[in-house]
Amino acid sequence: MKKVNIAVVGATGMVGRTFLKVLEERDFPFDKLYAFASAKSAGTKVICKGKEYTVEELREDSFDRDIDIALFSAGGEISKKFAPIAASKGVIVVDNSSAWRMEKDVPLVV
């Protein structure tokens, strides 16, 4: 199985940390992991699969790298701003907010 590069947006929040825990518990085959959060959380550390990752501030150029999947859990306003940027770079976006709930062209994942 090809290993993918994953971004977790909102990595320091409760759901973001749960994303990291589930990736670890399921032994999800990723190559690179990027942890994004607010400027306030930038520089903090998160752990996944026994490896420490430094949290980066989410910025408009954050997706200007080889990222395959982005898991978003940073609130609807952040999703509305940054999910389209990620998608425009070819990233598959999975968003935990209600920002896209009523959009007919956005599939609901349950």
Side-chain angles (χ1 to χ4, degrees):
M1 177 181 278
K2 176 192 180 282
K3 290 186 177 184
V4 297
N5 296 330
I6 296 184
V8 176
V9 177
T12 58
M14 181 60 80
V15 175
R17 289 183 185 273
T18 301
F19 280 153
L20 296 169
K21 183 179 175 188
V22 171
L23 290 170
E24 185 172 312
E25 287 173 352
R26 303 284 175 127
D27 195 23
F28 192 88
F30 62 83
D31 184 24
K32 294 181 182 161
L33 176 78
Y34 300 98
F36 297 120
S38 67
K40 182 178 74 173
S41 295
T44 61
K45 309 287 187 193
V46 293
I47 296 175
C48 187
K49 291 187 172 186
K51 186 174 176 192
E52 189 174 76
Y53 297 89
T54 301
V55 176
E56 299 177 47
E57 178 183 359
L58 180 64
R59 301 171 4 158
E60 291 185 7
D61 65 352
S62 293
F63 299 97
D64 291 352
R65 55 185 106 185
D66 187 21
I67 296 173
D68 300 296
I69 301 170
L71 305 175
F72 273 71
S73 183
E77 291 303 310
I78 298 297
S79 294
K80 284 283 192 183
K81 178 176 181 179
F82 290 98
I85 294 170
S88 76
K89 307 287 183 179
V91 178
I92 295 170
V93 175
V94 179
D95 179 42
N96 189 43
S97 79
S98 61
W100 311 102
R101 180 178 295 153
M102 302 306 287
E103 300 289 329
K104 67 177 183 157
D105 295 332
V106 177
L108 174 64
V109 179
V110 180

